[in-house]
Amino acid sequence: MLLTITTTHQPATDLGFLLAKNPARCQSFPLSFGQAHVFYPVAHDRVCTAALLVDLDPIRLVRRRSRQSQDRTLGQYVNDRPYVASSFLSVALARVYKSALSGQSKERPALAAMAIPLEAQITAVQCRDGERMLRALFEPLGYNVSAECQPLDTAFPEWEASTYWSVTLRATHRLHDLLTHLYVLLPVLDDDKHYWVGKEELEKLLAKGEGWLATHPERDLIVARYLRYRRRLTREALARLVVEDDTDPDATEAAQAHEEAVLEDRISLSEQRMMAVLAVLRGAGATRVIDLGCGEGKFLQTLLTHTDCEQITGMDVSSRALALAKRRLRLDRLPARQRARITLFQGALTYRDQRLTGYDAACALEVIEHLEPSRLGAFERVLFEFARPPTVVITTPNTEYNVRFENLAAGRLRHGDHRFEWTREEFSRWVQRVADRSGYAFRLLPIGPVDPAIGAPTQMAVFTR
Ligand code: SAH
């Protein structure tokens, strides 16, 4: 069984810190059913790949099992278990990447909390239901899924297709998210052989599924398969997941919005953008956040629903946008405790304003490209010299990616009100200059699927001081 995880987040070798495995070494770990090895086929500043190879020993498995079972058929010895990703791989993940799976990193805690471009390749999964099931499981979680059916035998291409697939999953996620998704979903794909099912598994499922399983459109199937159709456990798990839903009406709404995105067959770019910014704000531990150019309040709603932030403020120059935000957030009907967390006000980002001060973090999602280039300097001073929050997150389109949008004529901007759109080089130069001048450190991150030649559709800068 082979699972590789690749990142292009620079310096890419920081993946070694996240996984707590030194890229310069090959390490082995004994498991009850074989041996796991971790090594890095690629490890340099721009790309780093960690490989987890699980060398499963079928003989050892048979010996262990035959104490209970009388089944001594050849199939016990000769089978696909050493090759196909299954619950054994999940066990290996939990053992070998323990701290990363729980979202911790001693050396790079901020990076562990940050969404970074990740690619996971699994050499073989068995999927009797075909590619459709792979997509149904991973796409709602924001993955770009590519899968290739493996031939039964390369010498006999005329044989019917096998049920084995090589899978590549790409997303901008926290490493912790990728690992928990794999931990739960690999045994779900491997419907047949998930062998460790008891009450303890139910607790693991609920813990690892926190934050995503309750709203997954295939939730019932995932739970039933993970718990291997144990009816009582399945019922209990579903009941507990549904109770989580019911206690929070906002979560139900989020689930509906989520389903809508799934209907569209993929998580929209705007959703990925919000998730990426959310991950940064969480990583920074921000509890007072201001969303500059909040528009109709989509991100404010995400903050309200998915964080414990005590102060969430939206500002925009447009009174129409603010009215829509008010409606979306149902400000008039929010319970007092929730209502107290949120403030909206009208203002312009190019004028000093006392109301912009006192926040842990400020974000501006897809706003700077709406400013006149001649006013950009004023915006920089207002935000980085005057308001100076410890964390600033800015996203903007990467114009190089526009060639990918079929409906966009060459040379056109993505939106009628955009005053400019920058290449990665232009954005990076601007970010560097602002950071140097104002004494902030910065990171640049892609959002959305990364094309090696033209980058990702959205670019994000995270400034910290
Ligand atoms: N952040 C939102 C909206 C992006 S659209 C989202 O990601 O969905 C850009 C928003 O910036 C618009 O709502 C527009 O009214 C606002 N905006 C443009 N110029 C502004 C300025 N000078 N000051 C404050 N807001 C501005």
Side-chain angles (χ1 to χ4, degrees):
M1 276 173 252
L2 179 63
L3 163 71
T4 63
I5 296 177
T6 300
T7 189
T8 49
H9 177 78
Q10 294 181 20
T13 43
D14 273 4
L15 183 63
F17 288 119
L18 292 182
L19 293 170
K21 301 284 169 289
N22 184 344
R25 285 171 52 203
C26 175
Q27 286 174 266
S28 294
F29 305 84
L31 301 166
S32 63
F33 48 82
Q35 195 79 13
H37 309 278
V38 177
F39 55 95
Y40 290 73
V42 181
H44 53 78
D45 241 24
R46 299 176 60 164
V47 186
C48 185
T49 299
L52 170 64
L53 178 78
V54 179
D55 188 11
L56 182 138
D57 179 355
I59 311 281
R60 207 188 301 176
L61 273 187
V62 179
R63 294 225 175 97
R64 227 177 39 175
R65 236 181 239 188
S66 54
R67 277 186 231 123
Q68 304 133 27
S69 146
Q70 293 308 306
D71 180 6
R72 299 274 164 90
T73 57
L74 190 59
Q76 292 261 333
Y77 294 90
V78 184
N79 54 45
D80 61 11
R81 260 175 234 161
Y83 315 106
V84 177
S86 63
S87 48
F88 291 109
L89 187 53
S90 291
V91 174
L93 269 181
R95 159 96 174 78
V96 176
Y97 293 155
K98 186 163 182 242
S99 54
L101 182 66
S102 63
Q104 282 153 12
S105 167
K106 222 188 285 165
E107 321 228 29
R108 294 287 185 279
L111 189 59
M114 194 181 277
I116 58 174
L118 291 169
E119 179 181 296
Q121 280 194 323
I122 310 149
T123 319
V125 299
Q126 182 164 46
C127 202
R128 292 202 172 77
D129 321 283
E131 195 178 348
R132 196 198 61 78
M133 177 56 68
L134 279 168
R135 294 192 182 282
L137 291 179
F138 286 99
E139 286 184 346
L141 297 169
Y143 292 93
N144 174 298
V145 178
S146 47
E148 199 181 324
C149 187
Q150 297 203 352
L152 274 180
D153 189 323
T154 41
F156 299 96
E158 67 277 17
W159 285 5
E160 67 180 88
S162 80
T163 53
Y164 298 104
W165 297 76
S166 291
V167 185
T168 305
L169 306 168
R170 293 186 191 87
T172 300
H173 274 342
R174 292 177 301 175
L175 179 62
H176 159 71
D177 295 324
L178 170 67
L179 294 177
T180 47
H181 296 155
L182 291 174
Y183 179 89
V184 171
L185 296 178
L186 290 176
V188 168
L189 281 171
D190 176 53
D191 194 17
D192 254 5
K193 307 161 212 138
H194 181 44
Y195 69 105
W196 27 263
V197 174
K199 178 86 181 163
E200 215 180 295
E201 290 314 315
L202 185 155
E203 299 304 331
K204 278 189 201 159
L205 173 66
L206 293 177
K208 295 285 186 295
E210 200 187 329
W212 61 272
L213 184 55
T215 55
H216 196 295
E218 297 292 346
R219 175 188 67 194
D220 294 8
L221 174 133
I222 294 171
V223 171
R225 281 195 176 186
Y226 187 94
L227 298 173
R228 222 182 164 198
Y229 302 106
R230 291 278 194 89
R231 286 235 185 83
R232 199 179 49 75
L233 289 178
T234 304
R235 263 204 311 270
E236 184 179 338
L238 288 175
R240 282 169 62 180
L241 285 167
V242 172
V243 168
E244 277 176 25
D245 273 3
D246 283 352
T247 50
D248 185 354
D250 290 338
T252 316
E253 181 143 316
Q256 283 162 357
H258 186 80
E259 264 162 30
E260 208 173 286
V262 171
L263 272 182
E264 292 170 10
D265 210 30
R266 66 196 171 85
I267 300 269
S268 69
L269 183 58
S270 120
E271 186 99 345
Q272 291 186 47
R273 216 157 29 221
M274 292 194 288
M275 290 305 126
V277 179
L278 186 65
V280 172
L281 297 177
R282 277 196 179 133
T287 67
R288 284 164 303 160
V289 176
I290 182 161
D291 184 12
L292 306 168
C294 63
E296 297 166 18
K298 263 172 129 178
F299 189 57
L300 296 173
Q301 179 157 46
T302 303
L303 288 170
L304 198 61
T305 315
H306 294 288
T307 70
D308 302 325
C309 286
E310 60 195 44
Q311 178 64 60
I312 300 164
T313 300
M315 84 93 93
D316 203 286
V317 75
S318 150
S319 54
R320 188 173 162 274
L322 288 169
L324 290 171
K326 192 170 165 214
R327 188 159 359 130
R328 173 189 295 274
L329 295 162
R330 289 185 286 170
L331 278 199
D332 303 336
R333 279 177 284 154
L334 277 186
R337 197 169 46 88
Q338 295 283 68
R339 181 67 191 82
R341 295 170 66 204
I342 190 138
T343 310
L344 295 177
F345 72 85
Q346 192 171 11
L349 274 168
T350 42
Y351 294 94
R352 276 181 171 217
D353 191 329
Q354 196 60 42
R355 294 172 296 176
L356 299 176
T357 58
Y359 290 93
D360 302 325
C363 55
L365 285 75
E366 309 296 280
V367 175
I368 57 169
E369 64 277 8
H370 291 264
L371 304 178
E372 284 298 339
S374 62
R375 302 297 290 147
L376 208 52
F379 165 70
E380 290 163 29
R381 281 193 302 280
V382 166
L383 184 55
F384 293 94
E385 280 174 30
F386 179 70
R388 282 188 79 71
T391 301
V392 177
V393 188
I394 290 186
T395 76
T396 195
N398 162 22
T399 192
E400 293 165 81
Y401 200 88
N402 287 2
V403 293
R404 283 298 183 85
F405 296 120
E406 281 165 15
N407 300 328
L408 193 66
R412 290 288 301 275
L413 301 183
R414 287 185 205 177
H415 188 285
D417 190 46
H418 285 181
R419 307 303 154 96
F420 59 88
E421 283 174 3
W422 278 333
T423 61
R424 286 169 294 170
E425 174 66 28
E426 287 166 326
F427 185 49
S428 131
R429 252 188 279 132
W430 179 77
V431 168
Q432 181 124 33
R433 188 173 52 71
V434 168
D436 286 351
R437 191 180 288 170
S438 56
Y440 277 77
F442 70 90
R443 274 171 184 280
L444 289 165
L445 296 160
I447 299 176
V450 179
D451 180 304
I454 57 178
T458 300
Q459 33 190 353
M460 169 164 76
V462 180
F463 297 85
T464 45
R465 68 162 179 88

Coordinates of all heavy atoms in Angstrom, one line a residue, residues 291 293-295 315-318 321 347-350 365-367 370-371, ligand 1:
D291 N -14.0 42.1 8.6 CA -14.0 41.7 7.2 C -14.2 43.0 6.4 O -15.2 43.6 6.4 CB -15.1 40.8 6.9 CG -15.2 40.2 5.5 OD1 -14.2 40.4 4.8 OD2 -16.2 39.6 5.1
G293 N -14.7 45.3 3.2 CA -15.3 45.0 1.9 C -16.1 43.7 2.0 O -16.0 42.8 1.2
C294 N -16.9 43.6 3.0 CA -17.6 42.3 3.3 C -18.7 42.0 2.3 O -19.2 40.8 2.3 CB -18.2 42.4 4.7 SG -19.5 43.6 4.9
G295 N -19.1 42.9 1.5 CA -20.1 42.6 0.5 C -21.4 42.1 1.1 O -21.8 42.7 2.1
M315 N -17.4 45.6 7.2 CA -17.5 47.0 6.7 C -17.5 47.0 5.2 O -16.9 46.2 4.5 CB -16.4 47.9 7.3 CG -15.1 47.9 6.6 SD -15.0 49.2 5.3 CE -14.2 50.5 6.2
D316 N -18.3 47.9 4.6 CA -18.3 48.0 3.1 C -18.7 49.4 2.8 O -19.3 50.1 3.6 CB -19.3 47.0 2.6 CG -19.0 46.7 1.1 OD1 -19.3 47.5 0.2 OD2 -18.5 45.6 0.9
V317 N -18.3 49.8 1.6 CA -18.7 51.1 1.1 C -20.1 51.2 0.6 O -20.7 52.3 0.6 CB -17.6 51.6 0.1 CG1 -17.9 50.9 -1.3 CG2 -17.6 53.1 -0.1
S318 N -20.6 50.0 0.3 CA -21.9 50.0 -0.4 C -23.1 49.7 0.6 O -23.1 48.7 1.3 CB -21.9 48.9 -1.5 OG -23.2 48.4 -1.6
A321 N -25.0 46.6 -0.3 CA -24.3 45.3 0.1 C -24.6 45.1 1.6 O -24.9 44.0 2.0 CB -22.8 45.4 -0.2
G347 N -18.3 52.3 5.4 CA -17.0 53.1 5.5 C -16.2 52.8 4.2 O -16.5 51.9 3.5
A348 N -15.2 53.7 4.0 CA -14.4 53.5 2.8 C -13.0 53.1 3.3 O -12.5 53.7 4.2 CB -14.4 54.7 2.0
L349 N -12.4 52.2 2.6 CA -11.1 51.6 3.0 C -10.0 52.6 2.7 O -8.8 52.3 3.1 CB -10.9 50.4 2.2 CG -11.5 49.1 2.9 CD1 -11.5 48.0 1.9 CD2 -10.7 48.8 4.1
T350 N -10.3 53.7 2.1 CA -9.2 54.5 1.7 C -9.1 55.8 2.6 O -8.4 56.7 2.3 CB -9.3 55.0 0.2 OG1 -10.7 55.2 0.0 CG2 -8.9 53.8 -0.7
L365 N -11.4 40.0 1.2 CA -11.5 38.9 0.2 C -12.0 39.5 -1.1 O -13.1 40.0 -1.1 CB -12.5 37.8 0.7 CG -12.1 36.9 1.8 CD1 -12.0 37.5 3.1 CD2 -13.0 35.6 1.8
E366 N -11.2 39.5 -2.1 CA -11.5 39.9 -3.4 C -12.0 41.4 -3.4 O -13.1 41.7 -3.9 CB -12.6 39.0 -4.0 CG -12.3 37.5 -4.0 CD -11.1 37.2 -4.8 OE1 -11.2 37.0 -6.0 OE2 -10.0 37.0 -4.2
V367 N -11.2 42.2 -2.7 CA -11.6 43.6 -2.6 C -10.6 44.6 -3.3 O -11.0 45.5 -4.0 CB -11.8 44.0 -1.1 CG1 -12.0 45.5 -1.0 CG2 -12.9 43.3 -0.5
H370 N -10.9 46.0 -6.6 CA -12.0 47.0 -6.9 C -11.5 48.4 -6.6 O -12.3 49.4 -6.8 CB -13.2 46.7 -6.0 CG -13.9 45.4 -6.3 ND1 -15.0 45.4 -7.1 CD2 -13.7 44.1 -6.0 CE1 -15.4 44.1 -7.3 NE2 -14.6 43.3 -6.6
L371 N -10.3 48.6 -6.1 CA -9.9 49.9 -5.8 C -9.1 50.5 -7.0 O -8.4 49.8 -7.7 CB -8.9 49.9 -4.6 CG -9.4 49.2 -3.3 CD1 -8.4 49.2 -2.2 CD2 -10.7 50.0 -2.8
Ligands
SAH1 N1 -15.6 40.2 0.3 C1 -16.8 39.9 -0.4 C2 -17.1 40.9 -1.5 C3 -16.1 41.1 -2.6 S1 -16.7 42.3 -3.8 C4 -16.7 38.5 -1.0 O1 -15.6 37.9 -1.0 O2 -17.7 38.0 -1.5 C5 -15.9 43.7 -3.3 C6 -16.5 44.5 -2.2 O3 -15.7 45.6 -1.9 C7 -17.9 45.1 -2.7 O4 -18.8 44.8 -1.7 C8 -17.6 46.6 -2.6 O5 -18.7 47.4 -2.2 C9 -16.4 46.8 -1.6 N2 -15.6 47.9 -1.8 C10 -15.1 48.4 -3.0 N3 -14.4 49.5 -2.8 C11 -14.4 49.7 -1.4 C12 -13.8 50.7 -0.6 N4 -13.1 51.7 -1.0 N5 -14.1 50.6 0.7 C13 -14.8 49.6 1.2 N6 -15.4 48.7 0.5 C14 -15.2 48.7 -0.8

